Amino acid sequence: MKLSQLLLKTKLVTSLPDMEITGLTSDSRKVQKGFLFAALSGVSFDGRQFIESAIQNGASAILSDDISLAEKFPDIAFLKSENPHRDFALLAAAFYQKQPSHIAAVTGTNGKTSIADFTRQVLNMMNKKAARITLHQDLAELKDEGIDYLVMETSSHGLCQYRVGGIEFEVAGFTNLTRDHLDYHKTMENYFNAKKMLFTTFLKKGGSAVLNADCDVFMPLKEACLESGKKVVAYGRKGDVIRLIESQALAHGQKLKLEYYDKKIDLEIPLAGEFQAMNVLCALGMLAELTHEPFEVIKYISKIHGAKGRLELVGQTSKGAAIYIDYAHTPDALENVIKALRPHCENKLCVLFGCGGDRDKGKRPQMGKIANDLADVIYVTDDNPRSEEPEV
């Protein structure tokens, strides 16, 4: 693709003659002849340090906020950007062009994987070819494979680094906001603002925002959505479109009483815990808004199965006690998992957990207290110590 075509949706300019761009990457090791290299700053590395290496590997164009090497390499198109992450996403979208017709995203501290997977499962049951995950090259490949529906998880890192720039989101879901990633964002306000970008910056105008009405940040998020021209669908015990009236624990899952798009319905799901019920409500809202068939998607939701590693029953002890595994790595998630399993426990509830090294240390005593208060037996173990001493 010609460089001039790539630049159409950006404010980037170059004085060099037009040239053919054969690929894009932010990894200098993957640069080939004719590639555009994006010198992006990350947590551990600064892409500007690898500009010369990229040029040696065959790069024809460099995207960066620093073009001081332009004089040294006059035949290379240096594109100066105030926001390289954003512009790289726009360039990637222009380069790969094709995307599935219907794209939804979900963000929040907990529940993203489950909600994305529940949504994908129901779409496939409805014979709507669907996938989850992705970035721009994957988008084009999925479209070529006949995928028309896509569900993505969007992290706070990915949002504030504009990794999803250039993607047309029809629907966006929000789970909750609890302490996580403060090693990166520093404050909860910064963390919230990063999550909010999915709705104010990346969700298209007129798109549907499916929001947790029971979450502390619901009102400011709702107001931000309405101000930016988005439709709000609220779910939860305080929800107006999807309201959880009552939940009842069953041996194989739970029974929910809902007020759903102005009708009262009963729904059984094969999942334990109220947080999973909330995940299902979010998925229902996203499915209803994505397909515009709210009472069709409800027929399939009871057939879903839990996402791998999310409160997953993986076996039992020699005495018959159930063993569950869960990805919980935040105080809120750990509390939700223990509380979800307590009704299914006849005697002692044992918890094995750890906290990752070189990450937010403030959550460690919080998780320790939660385990101490809610479990009967605790095993504290390593969870990827990284550069820290496990004994400490």
Side-chain angles (χ1 to χ4, degrees), residues 98-100 134-143 150 167:
K98 292 175 286 188
Q99 299 180 6
T134 199
L135 278 179
H136 290 285
Q137 184 173 0
D138 301 316
L139 289 173
E141 291 172 358
L142 289 170
K143 184 64 175 177
L150 179 71
I167 297 177

Side-chain angles (χ1 to χ4, degrees), residues 280-383:
V280 167
L281 298 193
C282 184
L284 273 174
M286 291 176 62
L287 284 160
E289 294 301 309
L290 199 58
T291 65
H292 306 292
E293 300 179 76
F295 295 101
E296 187 66 19
V297 300
I298 203 77
K299 299 176 184 177
Y300 299 94
I301 200 75
S302 61
K303 300 176 184 177
I304 60 173
H305 54 79
K308 294 287 287 183
R310 270 61 181 184
L311 209 58
E312 179 185 2
L313 180 63
V314 294
Q316 61 182 34
T317 68
S318 59
K319 294 183 179 180
I323 303 170
Y324 287 85
I325 190 168
D326 191 86
Y327 187 64
H329 61 284
T330 66
D332 178 68
L334 183 64
E335 180 176 357
N336 284 336
V337 166
I338 299 174
K339 286 182 174 179
L341 292 177
R342 179 58 77 180
H344 301 269
C345 181
E346 291 184 12
N347 296 303
K348 291 184 178 179
L349 195 157
C350 305
V351 173
L352 179 147
F353 80 104
C355 295
D358 296 337
R359 295 295 187 268
D360 179 8
K361 293 183 180 180
K363 71 181 181 182
R364 298 178 189 177
Q366 295 179 11
M367 293 178 72
K369 185 177 190 308
I370 287 166
N372 184 70
D373 291 349
L374 301 179
D376 301 308
V377 180
I378 305 167
Y379 301 91
V380 179
T381 185
D382 288 350
D383 178 0

Side-chain angles (χ1 to χ4, degrees), residues 17-289:
D18 210 1
M19 61 182 69
E20 191 72 23
I21 298 297
T22 59
L24 302 90
T25 184
S26 58
D27 186 338
S28 62
R29 297 166 298 181
K30 295 181 180 178
V31 170
Q32 298 178 33
K33 184 175 176 58
F35 267 45
L36 181 148
F37 171 66
L40 306 179
S41 58
V43 177
S44 304
F45 299 100
D46 186 343
R48 291 172 294 191
Q49 298 174 350
F50 303 100
I51 291 176
E52 293 198 46
S53 174
I55 292 172
Q56 290 170 6
N57 289 341
S60 297
I62 304 294
L63 173 70
S64 178
D65 57 3
D66 179 1
I67 60 170
S68 57
L69 289 172
E71 290 186 11
K72 184 176 179 179
F73 299 99
D75 295 330
I76 303 297
F78 277 83
L79 307 170
K80 184 172 177 59
S81 169
E82 295 179 358
N83 190 328
H85 287 93
R86 176 197 63 206
D87 286 330
F88 183 53
L90 294 175
L91 292 172
F95 185 82
Y96 293 107
Q97 296 184 322
K98 292 175 286 188
Q99 299 180 6
S101 305
H102 309 281
I103 306 179
V106 58
T107 196
T109 308
N110 309 117
K112 296 185 294 293
T113 298
S114 293
I115 293 166
D117 202 53
F118 296 162
T119 306
R120 177 197 60 81
Q121 288 180 51
V122 170
L123 288 168
N124 283 332
M125 289 180 207
M126 295 173 69
N127 294 317
K128 298 179 185 294
K129 211 168 178 187
R132 72 176 179 90
I133 191 168
T134 199
L135 278 179
H136 290 285
Q137 184 173 0
D138 301 316
L139 289 173
E141 291 172 358
L142 289 170
K143 184 64 175 177
D144 286 340
E145 292 171 13
I147 299 293
D148 279 327
Y149 289 82
L150 179 71
V151 192
M152 296 178 60
E153 300 173 49
T154 50
S155 69
S156 55
H157 295 64
L159 290 165
C160 65
Q161 293 174 7
Y162 284 83
R163 293 181 203 160
V164 294
I167 297 177
E168 283 284 301
F169 292 112
E170 287 185 25
V171 177
F174 185 82
T175 62
N176 59 6
L177 192 81
T178 62
R179 184 180 180 125
D180 199 12
H181 303 306
L182 293 194
D183 53 305
Y184 180 84
H185 295 290
K186 307 306 180 189
T187 68
M188 287 298 292
E189 183 180 9
N190 291 342
Y191 184 33
F192 170 65
N193 287 334
K195 295 288 190 186
K196 186 170 68 173
M197 288 177 68
L198 174 60
F199 304 91
T200 57
T201 303
F202 300 112
L203 179 63
K204 70 180 186 181
K205 194 158 187 170
S208 298
V210 182
L211 308 181
N212 182 353
D214 302 340
C215 180
D216 291 343
V217 296
F218 170 68
M219 285 309 299
L221 188 54
K222 176 183 177 180
E223 289 168 5
C225 289
L226 294 175
E227 286 173 6
S228 56
K230 316 299 162 57
K231 174 185 176 182
V232 172
V233 174
Y235 70 91
R237 291 193 177 275
K238 300 176 184 176
D240 56 359
V241 179
I242 304 175
R243 185 168 70 90
L244 177 60
I245 301 170
E246 183 184 329
S247 61
Q248 177 187 351
L250 304 173
H252 58 279
Q254 53 189 313
K255 184 176 182 178
L256 310 178
K257 287 186 179 295
L258 304 178
E259 191 172 291
Y260 177 76
Y261 285 86
D262 297 325
K263 287 190 177 181
K264 289 188 177 179
I265 61 170
D266 291 335
L267 175 68
E268 286 192 17
I269 57 172
L271 304 163
E274 179 156 327
F275 76 95
Q276 283 285 44
M278 295 295 282
N279 288 342
V280 167
L281 298 193
C282 184
L284 273 174
M286 291 176 62
L287 284 160
E289 294 301 309

